[in-house]
Amino acid sequence: MKNLNHEKTPLFDALMEYVNNNTIPFHVPGHKKGKGMEKRFLDFVGKNVLSMDVTVFKQVDSLHKPTGPIKEAQELAADAFGADATFFCIHGTSGAIQAMILSVMGENEKIIVPRNIHKSVTSGIILSGAVPVYMQPEVDKNIGVALNVTPEIVEKTLKDNPDAKAVLIINPTYYGVSADIVKISEIVHDYGAILMVDEAHGPHLKFNEKLPISAMEAGADICAQSTHKIIGSMTQSSMLHVKADRIDVLRVKQVMSLLQTTSPSYILLASLDVARKQMMIEGKKLLDMTIELSEYARKEINNINGLYCFGDEIVGKNGAYDFDPTKITITAKGLGITGHELERILAEKYYIQPELSDMYNVLCIFSIGDTKEKVDYLLRALRDISSELYKDGVDIMKSIDIPDIPEQVISPRYAFECSTVALPLEESIGQISAEFLMAYPPGIPVLCPGERITREIIEYVNEMKNANLSIQGTEDPNVEYIKVVNDLQILNITA
């Protein structure tokens, strides 16, 4: 690509010019630089951010048809992340993932995905009408965490489904585990398929050699990133990166325009612009400090009775080719409590809010915004909790096996659009689900629309509920009922 100047922030600069010129706004939004905003909100947020909350006009460009500063900002981002084209996304990486799938997949076309996909992938599959073929990722039963898929399982699934149009992988996972994405890319392309990557948790990978390789560097054709997760853009702002060899860039542009609001937040867009600059100019130094802080925390946690924080020792296991050290997974089994209970104690007693908890673990995300002072406070809290709860020889919690992938009877889209009836969970066994069942966060489904409900799944859900973990996906907020397919024509065919 061209030799671009990454000191520039074209979109942010255009907004600052608008503000500094004291432009009089006879345009939306109605708060008019904060003057019409409710006082308590205005006093807290301040006029600066509200003064750049603008709408579409020539000076600040249009997200749907960029010709000025947004176009230039996206070109700089593509150069920074090693893409041929980059699209700014202000409806989260969930929206970018849906756009990624809709840009490539059509109705009844096969897409190979790992089972531990985020629900946004299944949403994209439903919207596109594609048919998912699931791969089982490797699982570390000691910590109850899904690792990643191996090149071998990718190749086997492609061999069994040579008509698959695309393969989508998660890299890295929520817990920082990376696959051998270079080898997977070679395999996928050898079969003539497209490689998509959910890189929500890896926007920082490109900017430090101590981290796993990024999707674009590894040969992916298209990837969605949560710029806001580890590097410095605002929540809900993400990027979609594209290589043009196998992907129709104009098609991606059309899909993004179809999905995104015509009233985008310029505050979010500007935060993407400055986050790119920060990474290109200071990224290596900032991430060096983040990695150092992460390794310090990991070492200290592993010296606390009853706690364990996995790291590089996981590399080499099936499904764990590499590891992102900025993900701090604290396993609480040795204290005889669930990860959910540890999160509750940290939040309610110490005002520390982790990213998520699961049956056994609490996940803390370290980023360029963390400091040693805050990490030391976390460590003090964990030592306090250990001193109160740890008992030598405590009964460590038994592992609960994740259910096998159930039978897919009809496509997710077909199930989603069918007539349905709500049944109590216990009475739904054997029926075709029209809804999701997932532990959230991180939103990994144990049941998707179109799949046969099994006793094993219902028992697993009940165990998760008994452990006070959040189960979501059903219309019933208490997850006592689940919608099942009630289409007689389908039921007669699939009986």
Side-chain angles (χ1 to χ4, degrees):
M1 295 189 71
K2 296 175 286 186
N3 186 20
L4 302 180
N5 178 9
H6 283 281
E7 292 279 1
K8 296 176 69 176
T9 51
L11 180 54
F12 179 66
D13 290 348
L15 290 166
M16 290 305 297
E17 180 183 27
Y18 167 88
V19 171
N20 292 333
N21 287 343
N22 291 318
T23 304
I24 298 171
F26 284 101
H27 59 73
V28 298
H31 63 71
K32 302 294 178 79
K33 297 186 176 182
K35 294 188 184 300
M37 183 63 70
E38 194 274 336
K39 187 176 185 305
R40 286 181 308 151
F41 187 89
L42 174 64
D43 289 345
F44 181 77
V45 173
K47 290 184 178 179
N48 280 354
V49 69
L50 295 175
S51 68
M52 58 190 290
D53 185 18
V54 300
T55 190
V56 179
F57 46 82
K58 183 177 180 181
Q59 184 180 1
V60 296
D61 208 0
S62 165
L63 181 62
H64 288 261
K65 193 177 180 181
T67 58
I70 293 178
K71 180 176 182 288
E72 187 179 357
Q74 290 185 151
E75 287 173 348
L76 284 162
D79 184 69
F81 287 90
D84 293 330
T86 289
F87 297 90
F88 285 179
C89 183
I90 42 73
H91 59 314
T93 309
S94 292
I97 286 170
Q98 291 165 5
M100 176 167 68
I101 294 171
L102 282 165
S103 296
V104 174
M105 303 304 301
E107 191 158 8
N108 296 322
E109 292 180 327
K110 286 184 182 178
I111 179 172
I112 296 171
V113 296
R115 187 61 183 186
N116 59 324
I117 47 174
H118 188 269
K119 67 177 181 179
S120 60
V121 176
T122 308
S123 300
I125 289 170
I126 289 172
L127 290 169
S128 68
V131 177
V133 177
Y134 293 106
M135 301 179 286
Q136 188 67 268
E138 300 295 322
V139 175
D140 188 320
K141 291 188 177 181
N142 181 49
I143 54 176
V145 166
L147 303 179
N148 219 310
V149 293
T150 62
E152 291 75 20
I153 191 66
V154 172
E155 184 158 27
K156 180 184 183 303
T157 311
L158 278 164
K159 188 175 181 181
D160 293 341
N161 298 272
D163 54 339
K165 187 174 183 181
V167 175
L168 184 148
I169 67 169
I170 307 160
N171 201 73
T173 67
Y174 217 140
Y175 299 89
V177 181
S178 290
D180 187 351
I181 187 172
V182 172
K183 190 170 182 180
I184 288 172
S185 174
E186 293 170 355
I187 292 167
V188 171
H189 293 150
D190 283 346
Y191 277 82
I194 289 167
L195 179 61
M196 307 181 196
V197 180
D198 171 358
E199 201 175 40
H201 295 277
H204 56 312
L205 300 184
K206 174 74 162 51
F207 303 101
N208 196 291
E209 71 283 353
K210 298 172 187 173
L211 298 169
I213 191 170
S214 71
M216 289 286 99
E217 292 175 292
D221 298 302
I222 185 168
C223 84
Q225 289 180 339
S226 293
T227 319
H228 64 90
K229 280 189 165 67
I230 306 295
I231 56 183
S233 73
M234 294 181 71
T235 295
Q236 203 176 309
S237 61
S238 300
M239 296 187 192
L240 183 61
H241 303 298
V242 183
K243 288 283 192 180
D245 291 348
R246 297 176 182 85
I247 303 291
D248 182 346
V249 175
L250 292 179
R251 167 71 176 172
V252 179
K253 184 177 181 181
Q254 286 178 328
V255 171
M256 288 292 285
S257 185
L258 183 71
L259 293 177
Q260 298 214 86
T261 176
T262 55
S263 301
S265 166
Y266 280 80
I267 299 167
L268 299 185
L269 292 171
S271 77
L272 288 170
D273 192 21
V274 298
R276 179 269 315 155
K277 175 196 170 182
Q278 184 182 41
M279 280 296 101
M280 285 297 286
I281 306 302
E282 305 177 82
K284 184 183 183 306
K285 179 184 71 174
L286 292 171
L287 288 167
D288 274 341
M289 292 174 2
T290 305
I291 293 165
E292 183 179 347
L293 204 53
S294 302
E295 296 296 13
Y296 161 69
R298 180 171 286 104
K299 181 180 177 182
E300 292 298 317
I301 291 167
N302 282 325
N303 286 325
I304 299 174
N305 287 331
L307 297 179
Y308 170 61
C309 181
F310 75 83
D312 284 340
E313 73 275 8
I314 203 167
V315 175
K317 291 185 177 183
N318 281 343
Y321 181 79
D322 208 343
F323 176 65
D324 173 9
T326 66
K327 309 300 190 295
I328 301 295
T329 302
I330 306 167
T331 305
K333 288 166 67 176
L335 296 181
I337 60 174
T338 65
H340 178 77
E341 288 171 313
L342 178 57
E343 179 186 21
R344 181 183 57 77
I345 296 167
L346 285 169
E348 294 179 2
K349 185 174 181 180
Y350 298 94
Y351 300 101
I352 294 170
Q353 183 57 60
E355 171 70 10
L356 67 84
S357 62
D358 60 31
M359 191 68 176
Y360 311 113
N361 310 290
V362 158
L363 175 64
C364 293
I365 304 288
F366 280 31
S367 77
I368 60 174
D370 285 305
T371 64
K372 188 173 184 297
E373 179 184 21
K374 291 175 182 176
V375 171
D376 282 336
Y377 180 70
L378 168 65
L379 294 171
R380 285 197 300 273
L382 292 172
R383 292 186 187 106
D384 286 350
I385 294 166
S386 171
S387 67
E388 290 180 19
L389 298 179
Y390 178 73
K391 295 177 183 176
D392 193 23
V394 68
D395 289 334
I396 295 177
M397 298 174 59
K398 69 181 182 73
S399 296
I400 299 177
D401 290 337
I402 298 171
D404 291 335
I405 298 173
E407 174 194 7
Q408 183 177 305
V409 185
I410 56 177
S411 75
R413 182 174 183 170
Y414 203 179
F416 190 77
E417 292 178 345
C418 279
S419 61
T420 62
V421 62
L423 294 178
L425 285 184
E426 293 296 332
E427 296 178 20
S428 70
I429 295 167
Q431 300 290 324
I432 302 170
S433 177
E435 296 188 287
F436 295 96
L437 277 175
M438 66 192 80
Y440 194 88
I444 296 171
V446 293
L447 184 70
C448 293
E451 294 178 342
R452 185 86 66 188
I453 302 169
T454 65
R455 178 166 295 282
E456 184 186 22
I457 287 171
I458 300 304
E459 289 175 351
Y460 176 83
V461 168
N462 286 334
E463 287 194 78
M464 295 297 102
K465 289 167 71 175
N466 290 338
N468 293 319
L469 295 181
S470 176
I471 301 293
Q472 296 186 17
T474 57
E475 188 176 280
D476 171 21
N478 298 318
V479 197
E480 300 293 340
Y481 288 80
I482 185 169
K483 283 184 173 181
V484 300
V485 171
N486 191 36
D487 187 311
L488 289 177
Q489 185 176 354
I490 294 174
L491 295 176
N492 287 332
I493 293 171
T494 59

